[in-house]
Amino acid sequence: MNRYFFPAAFSLGAMAVVWVAFGFFAANPLALLMTLVIGAVYGMGALELLKFRRATATLAHALAHIPDELPHLGDWLEKLDPSLQNAVRLRVEGERAGLPGPTLTPYLVGLLVMLGMLGTFLGMVLTLNGAVFALEGTTDLQAMRSSLAAPIKGLGLAFGTSLAGVATSAMLGLISALVRRERLHAGQVLDGKIASVLRSEERR
């Protein structure tokens, strides 16, 4: 089932970025730039998790196809992703070594929210500056209302960066939880195999 959750969650986050960026296109270049940065960070996190998931898949496949006769553990370890080979070797040999997890993604999840807030704060600063300029530039009430319309509209658009940041952070966090669960399940299967066909005593 995780096979479908991964692309579905990623698509939701990507759709949020595209939707927000479309609203900013040709209307708010600074907010558009921040949204594109959020999209780039989101893509970096998703790429790391995709590689992480593929590495887990190599472990799951290798565990499901252990030959009846395995004279050398190294021959079987070569089927694993290089990022897992050493950790799995230590675990088979009896060391209490955990399987590696994502390195950048936990930080990117928080960074996405911060980038969204930064874009909103920048938009608010520009909007307030525009409002001050409009108030100081005229004393006519009708002209003042017309001058304030554009800055206030810009303030509403500025909050879109927070929407993009929160949406991508939530989806990246969800994807991270899904791939970590896959890795945990593979680790449990590995422990079961270690107790039987991968006994370290028999491979030394």
Side-chain angles (χ1 to χ4, degrees):
M1 189 174 293
N2 285 358
R3 179 176 59 182
Y4 303 104
F5 281 163
F6 188 105
F10 173 78
S11 298
L12 287 175
M15 287 171 59
V17 173
V18 172
W19 179 65
V20 172
F22 182 78
F24 290 144
F25 188 77
N28 195 326
L30 179 60
L32 176 61
L33 176 61
M34 291 302 302
T35 304
L36 294 179
V37 171
I38 289 172
V41 173
Y42 180 60
M44 288 175 55
L47 181 60
E48 182 188 34
L49 293 179
L50 179 61
K51 294 179 179 179
F52 182 84
R53 192 180 187 207
R54 287 175 176 173
T56 303
T58 64
L59 175 59
H61 183 269
L63 290 171
H65 297 85
I66 300 176
D68 296 332
E69 295 184 2
L70 185 61
H72 300 290
L73 180 62
D75 296 337
W76 179 77
L77 289 173
E78 289 180 355
K79 300 178 181 179
L80 307 181
D81 187 88
S83 63
L84 287 173
Q85 291 179 4
N86 186 56
V88 171
R89 179 188 296 275
L90 292 176
R91 202 152 174 167
V92 171
E93 292 176 351
E95 299 287 340
R96 300 184 62 180
L99 299 180
T103 55
L104 288 177
T105 300
Y107 302 99
L108 297 182
V109 169
L111 179 60
L112 286 169
V113 176
M114 295 297 103
L115 288 174
M117 294 178 62
L118 176 60
T120 296
F121 289 152
L122 291 175
M124 292 176 65
V125 169
L126 295 178
T127 298
L128 293 176
N129 287 338
V132 170
F133 179 78
L135 291 173
E136 292 178 344
T138 181
T139 57
D140 182 71
L141 181 59
Q142 185 61 36
M144 188 180 300
R145 292 176 60 184
S146 300
S147 299
L148 286 174
I152 297 303
K153 183 179 180 181
L155 180 62
L157 290 174
F159 284 99
T161 57
S162 285
L163 173 62
V166 171
T168 52
S169 176
M171 291 302 101
L172 194 62
L174 175 60
I175 297 172
S176 178
L178 293 175
V179 297
R180 283 177 180 273
R181 187 174 68 174
E182 289 181 345
R183 178 65 60 89
L184 177 62
H185 175 70
Q188 293 172 346
V189 175
L190 174 62
D191 290 338
K193 296 294 185 180
I194 290 174
S196 55
V197 295
L198 290 177
R199 288 174 184 166
S200 59
E201 293 82 5
E202 296 178 3
R203 303 300 169 211
R204 291 175 181 173

